[in-house]
Amino acid sequence: MAIAGDARSRAPNADGEFNGTIEIDTANDEEYTVIMIRDAPYKPGTLRVISTALADLGLNIEKAVVDEKKGGEKVTDCFYVTDADGGKVVDAADVENIKICLTMILKAHFSHGSVFARPDGQDDRRTGDNEERRQHSLLYSLMDRYLKNDVMSVQESIVNHVEYTMARNRYQFDDFEAYQAASFSVRDRLIESWNDTQQHFRDKSPKRVYYLSMEFLMGRSLLNSLYNLDIKSNYSEALQQLGYRLEILVEKERDAALGNGGLGRLASCFLDSMATEDLPAWGYGIRYQYGMFRQTLHNGFQHEQPDYWLNFGNPWEIERPYITYPVGFYGGVSISESNGVKKFDWIPGERISAVAYDNPIPGWNTPNTINLRLWSAKPSTEFDLESFNTGDYVQAILSKQRAETISSVLYPDDRTYQGKELRLKQQYFMVSATLQDVVRRYLVNHTNFDEFPNQVALQLNDTHPTIGVPELMRLLMDEHGLGWTKSWDITSKVFSFTNHTVLPEALEKWPVSLVEKVLPRHMQIIYDINWRFIQELRGAIGDDYVRIGRMSIIEEGTGEKMVRMAHLAMVASHTVNGVAAIHSELIKKTIFKDFYDLMPDKFQNKTNGVTQRRWLAFCNPQLRDLISSKLGDDAWIRELDMLRGLEKFADDEKFQSEWRSIKLSNKKRLAEFIKEKTGTVVNPDSLFDIQVKRIHEYKRQLLNVLSIIHRYNAIKAATPKEREKMVPRVCVIGGKAAPGYDMAKRIIKLVCSVGDKVNNDPDVGDLLKLVFIPDYNVSSAEIIVPGAELSQHISTAGTEASGTSNMKFAMNGCLIIGTMDGANVEIAEEIGKENMFIFGASATEVPILRAERSRYKPPPEFDNVVKQIRAGAFGWAEYFAPVCDAVHGGADYYLLANDFADYLRAQQLVDATYKDEKKWTKMSILSTAGSGKFSSDRTIRQYAKEIWGIEPCRRPSP
Ligand code: NBG
């Protein structure tokens, strides 16, 4: 049996021996038998051992007087006990018995190693208060050690949770219950680490960053936590001995899918990296009751099912009912004047409460665990006296209940901003609770706001949390009495803003009338910010009203007046960054050109990254072990640049064959998964070609389908001899369409219809398969990515800000077919263009081609496949007509026709290369070797240094 084998970073305390004395006094106290343990060496956990032993003997501890720990010295503890009937223990035999038992137990305790002392907290609210400290010394002593991670201790804590947390029979629980109990026991360990990390942050009081995001696409936690806490093998063994398999239990976990796609997953990768890099960081977001919808397919049509992920409880969160803030909406603003100073008072018409739920985020190979705090909306506890007094008690309760809708559902659209009132309320709800929490934390050890910018960095993940700008101004001015100048000085030093898209339709704008109604005070503040900004502008550029109109935070065109959230974010933030080099350059020339010309120093680039823990080391354990064996150890899991060390083995035959056999085994697992999800049987010896991402016209899944049809035609036209030379392919497409995105839904249907035809054509056999994997999410990506050989990132150049799945695929030795867009450009720099299949127009050519597209004559191959669809070759001719119209006859905004011929050329090159096994394997190894730059650790270090100005703050290892 392994004992604490995983506790890499935990060094045991020095062992002592118990040579103290135990005295039992039955005479001198009237009510109690007094057990005195004299001169025991100090050792963490001792008190818990004694109290458990006394309880096992059937004694009640009525009070205890314990020595405060004095490092290295002997301590004397005194316990006042009664027996089961509440009386004193007087019988001499009983007394002797207690003595013998305690002696044995203490001897065993002091001769036993692995107990880990926890640091003494120096909470500012406790130090200095010696009296309180003395009173609490018993409590502190009881909490002075960590849970143990040896197999037996793990088993004990699992079965305890089965019985005491879940109230199930500890001798009989099913896989789901075992998953839950195991998770609760892991959470116990996370909580220890979380508490001590937070205490350390409080003690050191470093500048902290708060990552504000409406989305966190976390996926599952069990395996990730086990790996990060380095206790996976003991849990595996512990469960196995209890009759359960960890691999099965991890599948029982529901994904936490509180995000749409790349933007939310990026936030989650960032949390992992911030924890691993020991940064004093917190994430803040919303605890949606319904995450991203579950996608099902009926006859090839997408249907959306609600994702009530909390149905069976969420063992990873900690509810904090006492951490709650009021959040207001509607109402009006009253203005009063005292001493010539105007005071604004917002009296909201509706008030709700935000309740905190904490989600511990452990880092890898560090004792630090950081926090993701998600807010849940609850009815406010204040009574609506009016309705209660008029006797409409039930109605009053019901209307309060509606508060909960604010955090109930994630908006599943990442294509266009939604002008929906509820969405604005969600955004304000999140930032208001967050900023109140941040300000409260700051004020624990500050009496004014002078240090605020040196203590706080607030990162806006896209424009979604930008209403936080006027909210911070309001808090500082209206609630804390600061003047405008001081408040603005502080506000403009703490915010920074990341832009994630150049698509104009995705840039958030709110109708002024809506903001005025929902957040009247904030609208005033936005106007004031804008007024001052425009004065500044006039100073800088003169009365160029056209340009001023373009740059204004308020859009005043022919239509409704709108608040441009990106402009507000831009004006208030000290930096703005794009998410890949090409994207950061593009925003300077397009959507933010006017701003760039005026304030070029604000602009930065932070190329995205992904966490190599989840996306390589944990989801592809065979490859992890092979890489570690070649590089000597697993240090690359923290320093991903070390993957370069694989380059020198790229031609090594033995290494190549190990590399291939791992890929094959991952492909077999993926083939199983495909069969389970779609019913289609695919041959693992085929080339596995994958395109998984949200369905968007700009991502051009349609281009992929058109080329698959072209391939199908080629197979049909080929002679049996020619067919023998063809490379068999399995094409996988997956992704969700926003429920209101009609074109995307038609594209899904087209994929399914083409798949039906191709997969059932006996002429084709294994040469071509096309499957649509339903409900693509984080967990399915963890199976799909390791099994992929070719992945498609084929957006029209200049439209994909970065992409992050391209990085995951490359890390796992999958070759990329793609355009020079987003992060592909930098991947090509790192891995080498010659190790990818690059095609298509460049971002500089795109605007020109787009302008000329009505005169463009598509290549005949393109026309042919589109005509085929129109003619009903795959059925549903009418339903697919708008899809064809969108790319035909001068439409084709995303230039599928322009790129088609070059795409087919690249695809042919893929086939030819695949036939050369050695060459392909070499390219695959070089893909992994060149992907070091795309670790989110690197991204986060750059944010920390170049934007946030924060430094690592690692708690001492226990
Ligand atoms: C997405 C981009 C991706 C990018 C992610 C993360 C939005 C608004 N943007 O290209 O489309 O990788 O953000 O930065 O979801």
Side-chain angles (χ1 to χ4, degrees):
M1 190 183 294
I3 303 233
D6 281 283
R8 173 174 38 205
S9 52
R10 295 183 170 189
N13 273 74
D15 290 330
E17 213 182 297
F18 178 64
N19 42 24
T21 57
I22 299 174
E23 290 164 21
I24 301 184
D25 172 1
T26 57
N28 286 319
D29 193 285
E30 250 173 50
E31 285 172 73
Y32 308 118
T33 301
V34 183
I35 302 178
M36 178 97 82
I37 297 167
R38 276 192 199 284
D39 296 331
Y42 168 72
K43 181 172 183 183
T46 307
L47 276 180
R48 206 166 328 161
V49 168
I50 298 172
S51 59
T52 311
L54 293 177
D56 287 346
L57 289 166
L59 301 173
N60 306 314
I61 304 176
E62 305 292 349
K63 64 179 183 176
V65 177
V66 299
D67 257 7
E68 205 179 322
K69 159 192 154 186
K70 301 182 209 97
E73 285 176 32
K74 306 250 166 164
V75 290
T76 294
D77 300 329
C78 206
F79 300 86
Y80 295 77
V81 302
T82 55
D83 65 12
D85 304 323
K88 290 200 328 186
V89 184
V90 281
D91 188 287
D94 284 347
V95 168
E96 191 52 27
N97 230 348
I98 294 172
K99 213 172 192 173
I100 294 171
C101 283
L102 275 180
T103 312
M104 270 165 49
I105 286 164
L106 285 170
K107 275 199 180 334
H109 169 65
F110 280 100
S111 65
H112 185 65
S114 34
V115 175
F116 304 95
R118 302 184 66 172
D120 230 356
Q122 285 166 20
D123 193 323
D124 31 80
R125 283 161 298 184
R126 292 199 317 239
T127 43
D129 187 346
N130 284 330
E131 184 44 37
E132 194 190 336
R133 214 181 148 70
R134 243 192 308 284
Q135 280 174 11
H136 284 164
S137 63
L138 173 62
L139 177 68
Y140 299 154
S141 303
L142 283 171
M143 294 179 70
D144 67 356
R145 65 168 188 175
Y146 293 99
L147 292 172
K148 292 193 289 170
N149 293 317
D150 60 279
V151 172
M152 257 181 61
S153 304
V154 164
Q155 286 170 337
E156 198 184 321
S157 72
I158 294 175
V159 293
N160 278 345
H161 277 295
V162 171
E163 182 155 15
Y164 303 127
T165 307
M166 296 152 59
R168 304 298 301 209
N169 185 334
R170 55 156 62 198
Y171 299 104
Q172 199 184 20
F173 43 98
D174 65 18
D175 281 343
F176 180 71
E177 288 155 356
Y179 149 71
Q180 283 206 311
S183 301
F184 278 120
S185 78
V186 173
R187 191 187 79 162
D188 293 342
R189 285 148 176 87
L190 286 170
I191 289 174
E192 290 180 336
S193 171
W194 187 98
N195 273 334
D196 289 353
T197 307
Q198 300 313 318
Q199 186 56 48
H200 185 67
F201 290 171
R202 280 192 289 268
D203 291 345
K204 295 281 170 225
S205 195
K207 181 176 185 183
R208 303 176 189 227
V209 64
Y210 299 103
Y211 196 83
L212 275 52
S213 179
M214 291 292 283
E215 302 189 14
F216 287 92
L217 195 43
M218 300 297 286
R220 291 175 175 154
S221 288
L222 178 54
L223 205 59
N224 189 66
S225 303
L226 289 173
Y227 271 123
N228 278 358
L229 295 176
D230 203 15
I231 50 178
K232 179 182 170 257
S233 60
N234 283 13
Y235 264 76
S236 232
E237 194 178 335
L239 285 162
Q240 200 190 346
Q241 289 178 10
L242 294 173
Y244 298 87
R245 281 181 49 211
L246 180 61
E247 309 83 79
I248 308 239
L249 303 196
V250 298
E251 297 289 319
K252 299 289 163 195
E253 182 172 353
R254 288 285 293 271
D255 273 35
L258 309 184
N260 270 283
L263 175 144
R265 184 53 232 175
L266 184 77
S268 295
C269 283
F270 279 3
L271 290 177
D272 183 86
S273 288
M274 292 191 290
T276 300
E277 292 290 319
D278 298 315
L279 293 176
W282 277 43
Y284 275 104
I286 293 182
R287 179 180 178 270
Y288 301 105
Q289 269 172 28
Y290 294 89
M292 188 62 197
F293 66 81
R294 268 192 314 121
Q295 177 193 54
T296 55
L297 290 177
H298 300 297
N299 196 19
F301 290 99
Q302 167 175 303
H303 289 250
E304 298 98 28
Q305 314 289 337
D307 164 51
Y308 196 65
W309 67 297
L310 297 168
N311 235 351
F312 294 97
N314 172 14
W316 301 104
E317 65 185 9
I318 303 149
E319 187 185 1
R320 309 269 190 206
Y322 48 90
I323 301 181
T324 146
Y325 296 96
V327 178
F329 300 100
Y330 311 108
V333 181
S334 77
I335 307 175
S336 55
E337 229 182 282
S338 76
N339 301 332
V341 184
K342 268 198 189 141
K343 187 163 166 17
F344 295 83
D345 238 327
W346 174 30
I347 299 136
E350 179 185 334
R351 261 183 221 279
I352 62 165
S353 296
V355 179
Y357 284 74
D358 287 345
N359 300 259
I361 311 289
W364 188 81
N365 202 6
T366 163
N368 277 27
T369 290
I370 61 167
N371 195 23
L372 167 61
R373 179 161 283 178
L374 300 178
W375 300 107
S376 183
K378 296 276 153 68
S380 128
T381 46
E382 281 169 44
F383 290 122
D384 177 357
L385 281 178
E386 187 67 30
S387 3
F388 280 94
N389 291 345
T390 53
D392 206 349
Y393 169 80
V394 170
Q395 205 44 51
I397 299 273
L398 291 182
S399 70
K400 279 195 165 300
Q401 242 180 24
R402 280 197 285 276
E404 282 162 47
T405 56
I406 288 192
S407 57
S408 69
V409 57
L410 166 79
Y411 276 94
D413 196 338
D414 62 348
R415 176 181 59 122
T416 46
Y417 68 93
Q418 301 266 321
K420 296 274 181 343
E421 183 169 324
L422 179 62
R423 171 72 176 179
L424 177 63
K425 287 175 83 175
Q426 287 186 336
Q427 296 183 343
Y428 177 65
F429 168 75
M430 193 275 277
V431 297
S432 174
T434 299
L435 291 175
Q436 291 181 66
D437 201 32
V438 168
V439 166
R440 179 206 44 84
R441 185 170 304 117
Y442 171 81
L443 288 177
V444 168
N445 50 4
H446 295 87
T447 48
N448 61 42
F449 283 90
D450 293 353
E451 285 301 306
F452 197 73
N454 301 325
Q455 285 278 287
V456 172
L458 296 166
Q459 182 66 37
L460 303 173
N461 194 25
D462 214 310
T463 51
H464 315 151
T466 301
I467 197 71
V469 169
E471 173 66 357
L472 183 59
M473 288 296 285
R474 186 189 71 83
L475 287 173
L476 294 176
M477 295 191 302
D478 302 357
E479 310 257 322
H480 294 278
L482 272 60
W484 177 279
T485 311
K486 179 88 192 164
S487 302
W488 183 247
D489 180 57
I490 292 169
T491 301
S492 55
K493 279 181 182 151
V494 293
F495 282 105
S496 49
F497 158 53
T498 304
N499 167 272
H500 293 267
T501 181
V502 286
L503 306 183
E505 65 270 27
L507 291 175
E508 282 189 304
K509 288 178 203 167
W510 293 108
V512 167
S513 56
L514 180 69
V515 181
E516 226 151 36
K517 178 177 85 167
V518 179
L519 300 168
R521 177 64 182 132
H522 298 76
M523 195 59 237
Q524 291 177 341
I525 295 173
I526 293 170
Y527 272 130
D528 283 353
I529 294 173
N530 196 41
W531 187 83
R532 287 170 160 86
F533 170 58
I534 284 174
Q535 299 319 304
E536 245 176 66
L537 264 185
R538 292 177 61 194
I541 64 171
D543 290 344
D544 179 349
Y545 287 111
V546 177
R547 185 167 168 201
I548 290 174
R550 281 202 309 262
M551 295 181 76
S552 168
I553 295 169
I554 309 293
E555 179 179 272
E556 290 178 80
T558 40
E560 235 196 315
K561 270 213 269 181
M562 303 288 242
V563 184
R564 295 164 167 153
M565 299 311 270
H567 291 204
L568 178 55
M570 179 79 61
V571 170
S573 298
H574 55 84
T575 44
V576 49
N577 73 283
V579 289
I582 183 180
H583 167 65
S584 296
E585 285 309 308
L586 261 176
I587 59 176
K588 295 182 195 168
K589 293 183 196 127
T590 58
I591 49 174
F592 299 141
K593 181 177 185 308
D594 289 319
F595 287 91
Y596 176 68
D597 290 344
L598 199 72
M599 31 184 124
D601 298 343
K602 271 197 188 181
F603 286 71
Q604 293 199 12
N605 170 245
K606 295 287 165 281
T607 298
N608 283 167
V610 300
T611 166
Q612 68 268 28
R613 267 81 59 188
R614 183 179 292 265
W615 295 112
L616 173 52
F618 306 160
C619 73
N620 198 344
Q622 292 182 60
L623 197 62
R624 171 196 65 213
D625 292 343
L626 179 63
I627 293 172
S628 297
S629 77
K630 279 288 156 190
L631 298 182
D633 57 28
D634 63 3
W636 60 273
I637 299 177
R638 227 196 145 94
E639 288 300 333
L640 200 63
D641 285 331
M642 289 181 169
L643 288 180
R644 281 274 176 224
L646 294 175
E647 277 178 354
K648 59 175 178 290
F649 305 108
D651 287 307
D652 179 323
E653 269 188 36
K654 182 164 165 287
F655 183 61
Q656 279 214 348
S657 112
E658 289 172 305
W659 191 269
R660 270 194 301 274
S661 86
I662 291 171
K663 185 58 85 182
L664 183 61
S665 116
N666 290 327
K667 284 169 71 180
K668 286 182 178 156
R669 185 170 64 144
L670 176 51
E672 282 298 312
F673 184 77
I674 292 172
K675 185 164 162 236
E676 183 195 317
K677 296 286 171 193
T678 70
T680 305
V681 176
V682 300
N683 183 350
D685 292 325
S686 320
L687 192 172
F688 276 26
D689 162 350
I690 318 276
Q691 187 180 23
V692 281
K693 45 186 86 238
R694 288 300 291 262
I695 312 291
H696 272 281
E697 285 158 284
Y698 85 81
K699 291 179 192 277
R700 300 200 294 191
Q701 282 91 355
L702 184 55
L703 180 63
N704 188 0
V705 181
L706 297 181
S707 94
I708 291 168
I709 297 173
H710 179 82
R711 178 176 291 266
Y712 174 60
N713 294 340
I715 294 169
K716 293 290 277 183
T719 64
K721 257 221 130 42
E722 287 167 333
R723 285 186 193 160
E724 275 172 31
K725 288 196 208 124
M726 291 178 160
V727 177
R729 258 209 215 203
V730 172
C731 300
V732 175
I733 296 179
K736 293 174 185 176
Y741 192 173
D742 180 68
M743 187 64 80
K745 288 183 151 178
R746 287 176 202 257
I747 291 171
I748 292 176
K749 172 66 183 164
L750 178 63
V751 174
C752 295
S753 299
V754 174
D756 276 348
K757 175 121 188 182
V758 170
N759 299 346
N760 296 306
D761 188 331
D763 285 351
V764 175
D766 273 353
L767 281 186
L768 183 59
K769 288 277 180 270
L770 169 58
V771 292
F772 187 93
I773 295 194
D775 202 36
Y776 176 60
N777 59 18
V778 173
S779 295
S780 52
E782 286 169 19
I783 297 170
I784 294 168
V785 171
E789 291 175 297
L790 179 75
S791 73
Q792 307 219 18
H793 308 275
I794 57 176
S795 50
T796 313
T799 59
E800 187 70 274
S802 162
T804 40
S805 74
N806 42 3
M807 303 169 181
K808 299 168 197 165
F809 283 106
M811 267 178 206
N812 284 273
C814 168
L815 306 193
I816 287 175
I817 181 167
T819 47
M820 275 303 201
D821 198 17
N824 287 356
V825 177
E826 288 156 85
I827 294 176
E829 278 168 20
E830 296 296 308
I831 290 176
K833 245 185 172 169
E834 67 286 4
N835 294 312
M836 297 166 74
F837 303 97
I838 300 290
F839 72 95
S842 71
T844 41
E845 290 162 342
V846 162
I848 304 161
L849 295 173
R850 188 169 278 155
E852 292 169 350
R853 69 192 193 280
S854 61
R855 290 188 297 278
Y856 181 71
K857 188 166 165 2
E861 303 94 315
F862 184 83
D863 276 338
N864 284 343
V865 290
V866 177
K867 274 185 199 146
Q868 231 175 312
I869 300 171
R870 276 199 199 280
F874 308 97
W876 300 91
E878 245 175 72
Y879 186 70
F880 295 141
V883 179
C884 299
D885 293 344
V887 295
H888 237 184
D892 200 16
Y893 187 79
Y894 294 106
L895 306 180
L896 280 68
N898 298 70
D899 278 350
F900 197 62
D902 203 25
Y903 181 50
L904 294 183
R905 177 206 48 82
Q907 287 285 14
Q908 265 171 15
L909 186 59
V910 168
D911 287 327
T913 312
Y914 197 73
K915 286 185 190 161
D916 184 345
E917 195 178 67
K918 275 191 194 160
K919 177 153 192 219
W920 185 277
T921 311
K922 179 176 181 176
M923 290 167 76
S924 166
I925 295 169
L926 292 177
S927 293
T928 303
S931 63
K933 175 175 173 184
F934 306 103
S935 164
S936 45
D937 299 347
R938 185 266 315 147
T939 315
I940 280 299
R941 278 177 224 150
Q942 292 177 334
Y943 273 94
K945 186 154 179 262
E946 295 157 24
I947 296 183
W948 303 329
I950 61 164
E951 306 219 315
C953 182
R954 182 191 280 224
R955 75 174 167 107
S957 283

